[in-house]
Amino acid sequence: MSKGSTREIVVSGIRSTGILHLGNYFGAMRNYVRMQDDYNCFFFIADWHSLTTHPDTRELSESVHRVLAEYLACGLDPKKVTLYVQSDIPEIAELYLLLNMLAYKGELEKTASFKDKVRNQPDNVNAGLLTYPVLMASDILVHRAVKVPVGKDQEQHLEVARNFAHRFNHRYGLEVFPEPYAFNFGQDLLKVPSLDGAGKMSKSENQMATLYLGDDDDVIRKKVMKAKTDNGPTEPNTPMPDYIENLFLLMRLVSDNATLLHFTDAYNNASIRYGDMKKALAEDMIRFIAPIRESARELEKNKGYLHQVMKEGADKARASASATLLEVRKAMGMMYSFLP
Ligand code: ADP
Ligand code: TRP
């Protein structure tokens, strides 16, 4: 892909609701790092989105710094990509207001994430939860992005964002927004399963079944060794139960081919010992996680540097966002004090 201003625009964000985990890394971050040389990338920390479920703003501030340190520790280079905090960009809130007028209560109530949240926090079904996909669409459309690297769980939100882009263009008669797509390098969107075989790894749910990029070595060993297994197949080429398939999936992410092949063969000829497999997996996990953990811890202490990255990122993101808002206002004919 050619460099310069013609590069495709990429946007993605992670909520500041805790320490990042393997799902965030392989579903989102790995793509961010791979995209930084070839695309015009905007990666941010979705602190407004966090408020829908995590209202404590003191914890939130710690989490914002932590996620930024993790972005950098995973290899994002602030000279190549724009890194910023969502709440530093008021233009996102302006677009959110305008898109809310094009969003229907019925379609928002139907999204899986809204239904989940209503189930999880029945006492706090705030309007922000309902309009979560509208804010997410604003994050994306404010830079007129086309590719959005995310995990499988975000696919439906991207469909909603496309609908809003299309609806806006159609309503106001100008192609202001391209239609954005969920993106994963060369394959389907990813869902990193949790270690207990139930659901996906996540920042705040089932913490013992989630591997965090901040976990110490012995915590990683303990979690992996506790992963659900059974007595193993008794006959060659038995189909794998889900929880065993999940272990192989995790191994594919962090282990080399020889290790993977060794245990796949052992499974297929019914001689596998899951204890050995988990030991190997734990050590490979540690090799993968430890350098990120250590680097994030160091970076987190350097508040001055983090602040500088956020400030420079906010300036660049605001320039892009305000250019879009100007096009939006023009399309809507709402330019009052702008006109001579
Ligand atoms: P969480 O759900 O853990 O709170 P976020 O909602 O902030 O994390 O998600 C940030 C990014 O990480 C999104 O692109 C999301 O799709 C991705 N992601 C989160 N969990 C997983 C997972 N288990 N597997 C793959 N991708 C995931
Ligand atoms: N909703 C996403 C999640 O929970 C986070 C997010 C907010 C996001 N705004 C975004 C992802 C814009 C991609 C693009 O994972």
Side-chain angles (χ1 to χ4, degrees), residues 99 141 160-170 177-180:
L99 293 182
L141 299 180
V160 174
R162 279 196 296 283
N163 287 341
F164 294 156
H166 179 77
R167 223 172 274 166
F168 182 95
N169 293 343
H170 186 72
F177 299 120
E179 292 186 15

Side-chain angles (χ1 to χ4, degrees), residues 22-31 149-155 182-185 187-193 200-201 249-250 252-253:
L22 278 193
N24 299 135
Y25 185 86
F26 288 104
M29 187 79 83
R30 181 171 62 170
N31 288 307
V150 281
K152 179 92 186 141
D153 59 315
Q154 297 301 311
E155 205 168 20
F183 178 82
N184 187 35
F185 262 99
Q187 32 165 304
D188 293 339
L189 301 183
L190 203 68
K191 172 184 152 184
V192 177
K200 64 177 187 101
M201 288 197 185
L249 191 154
L250 292 174
R252 212 168 298 135
L253 296 176

Side-chain angles (χ1 to χ4, degrees), residues 14-20 44-48 50 56-72 84-88 300 303 306 310:
I14 298 184
R15 293 181 306 147
S16 42
T17 47
I19 294 181
L20 301 195
F44 67 98
I45 299 161
D47 60 335
W48 278 334
S50 309
D56 180 338
T57 48
R58 197 167 338 162
E59 261 179 36
L60 188 64
S61 160
E62 254 174 55
S63 206
V64 165
H65 289 94
R66 172 80 205 182
V67 175
L68 180 60
E70 283 172 325
Y71 271 169
L72 298 166
Y84 58 99
V85 184
Q86 184 185 35
S87 63
D88 277 340
E300 211 183 351
K303 290 281 186 294
L306 295 184
M310 288 179 195

Side-chain angles (χ1 to χ4, degrees), residues 85-239:
V85 184
Q86 184 185 35
S87 63
D88 277 340
I89 318 299
E91 289 78 7
I92 297 172
E94 185 178 344
L95 186 56
Y96 170 60
L97 180 145
L98 297 171
L99 293 182
N100 266 322
M101 313 304 171
L102 301 174
Y104 300 110
K105 177 170 163 277
E107 69 184 331
L108 298 174
E109 279 169 343
K110 268 198 304 206
T111 57
S113 61
F114 179 68
K115 290 190 200 153
D116 279 353
K117 301 269 169 58
V118 171
R119 219 172 299 125
N120 291 340
Q121 54 179 63
D123 299 330
N124 184 18
V125 184
N126 56 72
L129 270 187
L130 181 69
T131 55
Y132 185 110
V134 188
L135 182 55
M136 181 161 161
S138 309
D139 293 327
I140 297 166
L141 299 180
V142 86
H143 300 299
R144 287 172 278 185
V146 284
K147 288 201 170 94
V148 184
V150 281
K152 179 92 186 141
D153 59 315
Q154 297 301 311
E155 205 168 20
Q156 194 180 28
H157 286 156
L158 262 297
E159 192 184 323
V160 174
R162 279 196 296 283
N163 287 341
F164 294 156
H166 179 77
R167 223 172 274 166
F168 182 95
N169 293 343
H170 186 72
R171 170 76 59 93
Y172 297 107
L174 279 176
E175 290 292 309
V176 175
F177 299 120
E179 292 186 15
Y181 284 87
F183 178 82
N184 187 35
F185 262 99
Q187 32 165 304
D188 293 339
L189 301 183
L190 203 68
K191 172 184 152 184
V192 177
S194 67
L195 289 166
D196 59 8
K200 64 177 187 101
M201 288 197 185
S202 110
K203 284 206 220 85
S204 30
E205 290 154 48
N206 53 26
Q207 303 198 349
M208 271 313 285
T210 294
L211 290 164
Y212 295 93
L213 300 183
D215 280 347
D216 283 317
D217 294 355
D218 45 338
V219 175
I220 298 173
R221 278 193 197 98
K222 202 153 119 201
K223 286 182 178 175
V224 173
M225 293 316 286
K226 279 180 73 166
K228 180 173 172 175
T229 50
D230 51 32
N231 293 330
T234 48
E235 285 173 30
N237 303 316
T238 312

Side-chain angles (χ1 to χ4, degrees), residues 303-322:
K303 290 281 186 294
Y305 176 60
L306 295 184
H307 183 259
Q308 184 197 328
V309 171
M310 288 179 195
K311 173 80 181 77
E312 285 173 14
D315 289 345
K316 283 197 267 174
R318 284 202 73 183
S320 156
S322 50

